[in-house]
Amino acid sequence: MNAAVARAPAGDGAIEIDLDRVTTRALNQRLHDLPRETNERFWRALNPKGKHSLAVGLDRPVTVHIMGHAGYYCAGMNKQAEIVVHGHAGTGLAENMMSGLVRVTGNASAAAGASGHGGLLVIEGDAASRCGISMKGIDIVVGGAVGHMSAFMAQAGNLVVCGDAGPDLGVSIYEAEIFVGGKVASLGSDCVEKEMTDTHRAALAKLLVSAGMNRDAERFRRFGSARKLYNFHIDHAASY
């Protein structure tokens, strides 16, 4: 076995890959080549140093811990895997995610969870602009604040913001749900505040528990589509 790919001495059985000695392509290829019934389920990537496209396109029930900051498109197209970034993540985190779990212990840059179809994305810190853009079924939980135009054209799924939301939240939203625990700078076109029922509180509480967030669901407000932009209507022309 390559000296840069070795069993971790910590006793957790993880396979360690040193990204100072192995390329990102080699890391991803090694993970892609795993057999479906692999017993090599626990991995640790050392010295990521902001490298791009780490742990992308995974389609195995493996756990990958990235021990530092990640660059663009980390965990993109994830399916089945659990990926934890111990630091911050750049633009396009978990883009087009299908299933599994992606967690970032720090902050995430723009477009986190973009076009995500499923799974759970947890950002323990803040997320920048357009978090959840065009989301299609993914659940996103942000422990801090989100930037402007988050949930832009969001079609399905849930965006939970434990902190504040920036301007134009939910602009041109379809049927996704937004829950905000803090202040909202402004709502985008066709996004309105909606009633928070007991059913919604129960679903939100379950999602917060799944994300490991100790928050009170009673303190959140709910936002969604006013359904006025689905079809063109002359009375709403200024909103398009």
Side-chain angles (χ1 to χ4, degrees):
M1 183 177 288
N2 189 301
V5 182
R7 291 284 175 182
D12 59 2
I15 299 170
E16 291 193 341
I17 296 197
D18 186 349
L19 291 168
D20 274 346
R21 304 175 65 185
V22 172
T23 65
T24 299
R25 181 184 292 273
L27 166 65
N28 290 338
Q29 192 65 58
R30 178 77 186 275
L31 294 169
H32 293 172
D33 288 344
L34 290 171
R36 296 229 172 243
E37 301 302 322
T38 182
N39 60 0
E40 295 183 328
R41 294 185 179 274
F42 301 98
W43 297 76
R44 187 179 295 114
L46 307 176
N47 299 309
K49 298 179 180 177
K51 292 182 174 67
H52 305 315
S53 302
L54 294 170
V56 298
L58 301 191
D59 189 11
R60 298 289 187 275
V62 298
T63 299
V64 181
H65 286 261
I66 298 171
M67 308 305 293
H69 306 314
Y72 297 168
Y73 304 114
C74 178
M77 301 175 288
N78 185 58
K79 189 174 181 181
Q80 300 191 64
E82 177 179 327
I83 301 170
V84 182
V85 178
H86 295 267
H88 306 310
T91 299
L93 170 72
E95 182 183 39
N96 205 35
M97 180 174 172
M98 305 302 288
S99 63
L101 169 68
V102 175
R103 177 182 294 273
V104 173
T105 64
N107 303 322
S109 190
S115 300
H117 287 253
L120 175 61
L121 169 60
V122 181
I123 300 165
E124 295 184 6
D126 299 327
S129 62
R130 296 177 177 84
C131 180
I133 181 174
S134 194
M135 54 192 281
K136 298 176 175 67
I138 189 174
D139 290 323
I140 303 174
V141 181
V142 180
V146 296
H148 68 273
M149 296 182 73
S150 288
F152 171 42
M153 293 185 67
Q155 297 169 37
N158 297 284
L159 172 61
V160 179
V161 183
C162 297
D164 299 333
D168 294 321
L169 177 69
V171 59
S172 299
I173 191 172
Y174 287 84
E175 291 303 310
E177 299 269 24
I178 305 173
F179 301 94
V180 181
K183 299 177 182 178
V184 176
S186 67
L187 297 176
S189 298
D190 212 39
C191 186
V192 296
E193 185 167 359
K194 295 193 168 187
E195 180 185 4
M196 187 74 163
T197 67
D198 289 341
T199 300
H200 295 116
R201 290 188 189 93
L204 173 59
K206 183 177 180 180
L207 190 51
L208 288 166
V209 169
S210 297
M213 296 288 181
N214 184 18
R215 302 290 196 279
D216 183 1
E218 297 287 340
R219 301 176 64 88
F220 284 75
R221 293 185 291 160
R222 172 178 168 248
F223 302 88
S225 176
R227 301 188 177 97
K228 291 183 178 179
L229 300 185
Y230 280 16
N231 300 288
F232 180 80
H233 193 291
I234 190 62
D235 291 343
H236 306 140
S239 297
Y240 289 91

